[in-house]
Amino acid sequence: MTAAAVSARKNDPQRTQEDILVVATEEFSTHGLAGARVDAIAERTRTSKRMIYYYFGSKEGLYLAVLERSYRKIRTLEADLELTNLPPEAALRTLISTTFDHDEANPDFVRLVSIENIHHAAHMLRSEAIRDLNVSVIETIAGILKRGIKDKVFCRNADPVDVHMMISAFCFFRVSNRYTFGTIFRRDLSKPETMERHRNLIADAVVSYLKTPE
């Protein structure tokens, strides 16, 4: 980063905070909350530890801001899909494909969620923003299921949280367990043909479940 760029950024607090969050995401997802170093984040962003604490309050505050940003990213991505304009099955398949591709492209998100689970969601419990952000995906799925029942495309009155869990479980597991699963079963989960098969597999499984009478 040039001196001019650093000077320009100092006059743009929002950009400075975003730069810090980008680097902090990598630091926390790589080293965990305990192992991450605020000094390293400050050095890489050419700012100061004092400035980071000014913006985020503490190391834990920065970690929570990283979590909130990560969830906001996927929820914004989903909102941009405009799924209400699609038929129910197409809407659901689009949502599943988007979740699949997001997790594949953002392993840092998967690692962060895994780290927070190690901490029993202790930090996430402090965040109203994360709870509010994640209401939207359940409302989206609930709307798709309701339209599917109305249009007689689906015949199962499924719990939208259960459906969200089905989708998340498969997409998340592929990334979180990529190396152990791949080593045990000698499978390269990053191969394009494998990814395409799995993307279709989870969509077919969820849709088949919803089309099966209770």
Side-chain angles (χ1 to χ4, degrees):
M1 188 179 296
T2 66
V6 172
S7 177
R9 196 187 65 177
K10 286 180 178 178
N11 295 321
D12 188 349
Q14 188 172 358
R15 181 181 170 187
T16 300
Q17 290 178 61
E18 181 63 17
D19 288 346
I20 292 169
L21 287 170
V22 168
V23 172
T25 297
E26 183 178 339
E27 180 74 12
F28 284 122
S29 66
T30 300
H31 301 290
L33 175 58
R37 295 176 56 248
V38 177
D39 286 333
I41 297 168
E43 182 178 354
R44 288 183 57 194
T45 55
R46 296 201 178 182
T47 184
S48 66
K49 192 173 181 179
R50 181 179 177 182
M51 182 61 71
I52 291 174
Y53 286 155
Y54 172 78
Y55 284 130
F56 301 102
S58 63
K59 181 181 180 181
E60 289 75 15
L62 175 59
Y63 169 74
L64 186 56
V66 165
L67 279 174
E68 290 174 349
R69 177 180 177 274
S70 296
Y71 275 103
R72 187 174 293 108
K73 181 178 179 180
I74 186 171
R75 299 289 89 97
T76 300
L77 188 65
E78 292 162 351
D80 289 343
L81 296 174
E82 299 184 354
L83 297 176
T84 55
N85 296 329
L86 296 175
E89 182 174 337
L92 190 58
R93 287 182 179 275
T94 299
L95 178 64
I96 292 169
S97 180
T98 299
T99 302
F100 186 100
D101 291 342
H102 169 273
D103 287 1
E104 286 293 325
N106 295 275
D108 53 347
F109 170 76
V110 173
R111 289 194 295 267
L112 284 168
V113 174
S114 298
I115 290 165
E116 185 60 9
N117 272 288
I118 291 172
H119 293 285
H120 304 282
H123 305 90
M124 196 178 289
L125 284 170
R126 294 164 38 202
S127 175
E128 291 289 338
I130 289 178
R131 283 192 289 273
D132 292 344
L133 281 167
N134 286 285
V135 167
S136 63
V137 68
I138 303 304
E139 291 177 341
T140 296
I141 293 173
I144 293 171
L145 298 180
K146 184 177 180 180
R147 289 194 292 120
I149 293 290
K150 181 181 177 182
D151 295 350
K152 297 183 179 180
V153 175
F154 305 143
C155 55
R156 183 184 291 269
N157 286 302
D159 182 336
V161 175
D162 288 349
V163 174
H164 177 54
M165 181 179 286
M166 289 176 66
I167 298 167
S168 298
F170 188 91
C171 296
F172 192 96
F173 180 92
R174 272 185 44 85
V175 180
S176 66
N177 291 49
R178 173 177 295 162
Y179 299 107
T180 53
F181 197 87
T183 299
I184 292 168
F185 298 105
R186 302 293 190 271
R187 293 286 180 93
D188 180 1
L189 300 185
S190 66
K191 291 175 64 174
E193 58 268 31
T194 301
M195 290 177 61
E196 184 63 20
R197 185 174 72 252
H198 285 179
R199 189 184 290 105
N200 292 329
L201 187 155
I202 182 58
D204 289 346
V206 173
V207 169
S208 295
Y209 170 73
L210 295 172
K211 289 185 175 183
T212 302
E214 296 182 67

